[in-house]
Amino acid sequence: MEKKDMDWGSIGFAYHTTDQRYVADFKNGEWQEGYMTGDATIVLNECAGILQYCQEVFEGLKAYTTEDGSIVTFRPNLNAERMVDSAKRMEMPPFPVERFIDAVDKVVKANAAWVPPYGSGATLYLRPYMYASSPVIGVKPAEEYQFRLFCTPVGPYFKEGAKPITLCVSDFDRAAPHGTGHIKAGLNYAMSLHANVTAHANGFDENLFLDPGTRTYVEETGGANFLFITKDGEVVTPLSDSILPSITRRSLVYVAEHYLGLKVTQRKVKLSELKDFAECGLCGTAAVISPVGKIVNHDEEICFPSGMEEMGPITKKLYDTLTGIQMGTIEAPEGWIHKIM
């Protein structure tokens, strides 16, 4: 199979229209048989539920080439299960887990020429999503939905190496108490756009969002979970009902405990104690771990001992171990690597 002629290291994290995508419709109370299509265009009624009341959920995962030349994905069953949870919270019919994984397989196989080669640092990003497709003018769940899955090649997240970033403590709330912060729905990301643009305009790379109830505990950035390292090498992750349960964070916690022998604690983390941590990172699908060098809380600067030049030593071990598992250079726990080709 001949690969697409692309400069894989320079394509960035951007959308490229690929050859095929998967589509399945929910009609008459059940999911219809899915199909592949080369048409990237969606036609909707002007009163479709997604346009009127933002009834939509999505996921994000990657396919990539491992050291032995296989094309694989990483723990897609967890993405499928999380999408089921998101759909239930949004009063949408869950797309079955086994059909989700089958759609992933079909899309990757149909677009195999777009999967970047091993060693390029690039991957094939997969975006499964589901939205309300039938007209609805009253505030209520729609009757019909569409599940779609497309893919796009994306370049290495850290083209020049993983340099630590600077965050600001946001004056905005990411989610409401007892709201939808724990599910992967487009509405949550739309709510964070103004905060993100504001942070970037003020010279920061990202926001740190606090708990919406008391604004004293660390939650997440809106696009990634936090990972802290204490001065004695303990891994600490924030505990909150408003945090999206990151698959990458869950995997890093396992790696910390079972591969590196580190103590891991999930608990509430006060903003006031950040100055006591030795390292800080953001974990998510796109970057695995983004190191954080500094957090600014209005007039206060919290600088982590790991510095602004490179990842802290424990964060680096976590990153290298998980990416090694993903790329096939380190043996993976059973069921983590889903081979497609």
Side-chain angles (χ1 to χ4, degrees):
M1 178 197 58
E2 187 175 350
K3 294 289 185 181
K4 296 293 181 179
D5 183 17
M6 303 183 76
D7 181 2
W8 300 107
S10 301
I11 57 177
F13 200 86
Y15 171 73
H16 301 267
T17 305
T18 51
D19 300 329
Q20 294 285 316
R21 65 272 310 133
Y22 178 94
V23 182
D25 293 302
F26 183 86
K27 293 182 177 180
N28 302 317
E30 62 181 5
W31 285 103
Q32 310 295 303
E33 185 175 352
Y35 60 93
M36 300 293 290
T37 177
D39 189 357
T41 303
I42 296 173
V43 178
L44 285 172
N45 184 283
E46 62 186 350
C47 200
I50 175 60
L51 301 178
Q52 303 306 319
Y53 302 118
C54 204
Q55 219 184 347
E56 180 265 2
V57 295
F58 72 100
E59 275 297 326
L61 64 159
K62 292 178 176 180
Y64 46 89
T65 307
T66 59
E67 186 180 40
D68 66 1
S70 301
I71 295 177
V72 307
T73 54
F74 182 70
R75 309 188 79 179
N77 58 304
L78 297 187
N79 293 95
E81 291 166 6
R82 188 170 65 181
M83 194 170 190
V84 166
D85 292 338
S86 296
K88 289 178 179 177
R89 179 62 175 80
M90 293 291 285
E91 292 297 332
M92 304 171 73
F95 194 68
V97 170
E98 63 278 6
R99 291 192 59 180
F100 180 105
I101 296 174
D102 179 62
V104 167
D105 291 352
K106 283 182 166 64
V107 168
V108 173
K109 288 177 181 177
N111 296 283
W114 294 92
V115 180
Y118 175 77
S120 65
T123 55
L124 186 72
Y125 185 79
L126 303 167
R127 171 52 59 86
Y129 62 109
M130 185 170 69
Y131 61 89
S133 55
S134 60
V136 53
I137 196 65
V139 182
K140 61 181 180 179
E143 294 182 357
E144 296 180 359
Y145 299 85
Q146 188 169 86
F147 171 91
R148 297 177 72 98
L149 197 159
F150 69 85
C151 63
T152 179
V154 295
Y157 197 86
F158 298 121
K159 187 179 178 182
E160 305 298 332
K163 292 293 183 181
I165 61 176
T166 301
L167 312 182
C168 66
V169 176
S170 181
D171 292 325
F172 302 98
D173 289 331
R174 173 186 161 268
H178 313 295
T180 57
H182 62 293
I183 67 170
K184 202 166 181 67
L187 57 88
N188 291 334
Y189 294 78
M191 292 292 287
S192 71
L193 291 177
H194 179 64
N196 289 343
V197 170
T198 302
H200 294 160
N202 290 324
F204 300 105
D205 297 294
E206 254 291 4
N207 288 288
L208 180 156
F209 289 106
L210 298 173
D211 74 288
T214 69
R215 293 190 57 79
T216 57
Y217 296 100
V218 174
E219 294 234 311
E220 60 167 272
T221 65
N225 285 184
F226 275 101
L227 201 70
F228 298 104
I229 312 295
T230 66
K231 291 175 182 176
D232 60 359
E234 179 184 350
V235 178
V236 177
T237 64
L239 175 67
S240 168
D241 292 337
S242 297
I243 293 176
L244 182 73
S246 165
I247 294 164
T248 304
R249 179 193 54 77
R250 198 183 318 181
S251 303
L252 286 166
V253 162
Y254 185 93
V255 165
E257 292 180 320
H258 295 86
Y259 282 70
L260 303 181
L262 300 173
K263 179 182 178 182
V264 179
T265 303
Q266 186 178 17
R267 61 172 174 82
K268 288 189 174 184
V269 176
K270 288 185 176 181
L271 175 64
S272 60
E273 67 176 298
L274 294 191
K275 63 183 182 299
D276 299 325
F277 289 114
E279 302 174 37
C280 174
L282 305 178
C283 50
T285 301
V288 181
I289 303 179
S290 298
V292 177
K294 181 167 64 176
I295 295 174
V296 177
N297 180 22
H298 298 94
D299 295 331
E300 178 190 13
E301 285 194 355
I302 303 163
C303 298
F304 296 100
S306 52
M308 292 297 296
E309 293 302 317
E310 57 187 9
M311 281 188 180
I314 292 180
T315 305
K316 184 70 163 57
K317 286 180 182 179
L318 288 167
Y319 176 85
D320 288 344
T321 305
L322 186 57
T323 54
I325 289 170
Q326 291 176 330
M327 292 298 166
T329 59
I330 296 175
E331 186 175 356
E334 185 176 355
W336 277 29
I337 304 300
H338 175 72
K339 185 175 179 179
I340 297 174
M341 297 178 65

